[in-house]
Amino acid sequence: WLLAQKLRDKWPMCYHVSLNKPKDTIENRYKAKIPQGLNYEPKEHISAFEGMNLLIITNENNLLINSAKWGIIPSWAVNKPDFNSNNTLNAKIESIFEKPSFKDIAVNQRALIITDGFFEWHLKNKQKIPWKIKSKNSEFTSLAGIFNKNSNT
């Protein structure tokens, strides 16, 4: 646990994921539908900083797969053009119920983030090398997430 804590503090976690599975494989695994017109294309590397959408299943409807932008824009920041959603890309369990950006939605607005793995960084010869971490026993690696809805996103 101490090593994991030190590694997490040194390297940001989960700003890079993979979802490189066909639409029907995703629907079959999660027993949920991707709506007609939702633009999904399999991709081996999805970065939080590129503005690509993720596929999620919310606790509001577990039969529907939604598309969501990475990063929370809290209700109090919707009309603030200087708010940087890069600051809300990752919520830590240690502070999720304390941070103003997350605490109001952490209890009731939860989601599964659909991935087939995520990337952590390994330092080799002073270069950051991505390591893909994925389930040994499954095609998918679901991540816990929170979500909110804004008219601007």
Side-chain angles (χ1 to χ4, degrees):
W1 162 253
L2 185 58
L3 177 60
Q5 178 76 33
K6 286 182 179 181
L7 287 173
R8 192 191 66 232
D9 291 344
K10 185 173 182 178
W11 303 105
M13 182 184 154
C14 278
Y15 292 123
H16 303 266
V17 298
S18 173
L19 185 54
N20 203 16
K21 303 291 184 214
K23 181 179 173 178
D24 61 327
T25 302
I26 296 168
E27 290 177 328
N28 289 336
R29 162 55 180 88
Y30 290 95
K31 296 178 178 44
K33 289 289 179 195
I34 296 174
Q36 200 87 23
L38 189 143
N39 186 18
Y40 166 71
E41 295 205 19
K43 189 161 182 178
E44 181 58 29
H45 182 234
I46 302 166
S47 169
F49 305 104
E50 293 174 354
M52 294 200 54
N53 285 359
L54 300 169
L55 293 185
I56 67 169
I57 299 174
T58 71
N59 61 319
E60 291 178 344
N61 184 351
N62 65 353
L63 300 176
L64 181 67
I65 298 172
N66 294 287
S67 177
K69 289 187 180 187
W70 206 324
I72 296 292
I73 300 176
S75 58
W76 51 265
V78 168
N79 294 317
K80 293 184 177 182
D82 61 335
F83 182 80
N84 184 353
S85 64
N86 281 351
N87 295 328
T88 59
L89 293 175
N90 203 356
K92 293 182 181 179
I93 191 65
E94 298 89 351
S95 60
I96 193 169
F97 297 104
E98 299 164 9
K99 300 269 182 176
S101 298
F102 305 130
K103 68 180 182 178
D104 291 339
I105 59 173
V107 174
N108 296 316
Q109 292 175 251
R110 297 187 179 195
L112 285 179
I113 302 169
I114 301 172
T115 77
D116 59 21
F118 61 92
F119 295 93
E120 293 290 345
W121 303 102
H122 172 70
L123 202 56
K124 185 175 183 179
N125 298 328
K126 298 184 181 180
Q127 274 192 319
K128 285 168 73 171
I129 310 292
W131 276 1
K132 185 173 182 183
I133 298 168
K134 60 184 185 170
S135 174
K136 183 178 179 181
N137 303 320
S138 174
E139 288 187 88
F140 293 93
T141 303
S142 301
L143 304 175
I146 57 176
F147 71 96
N148 68 344
K149 297 176 190 175
N150 290 313
S151 58
N152 292 4
T153 59

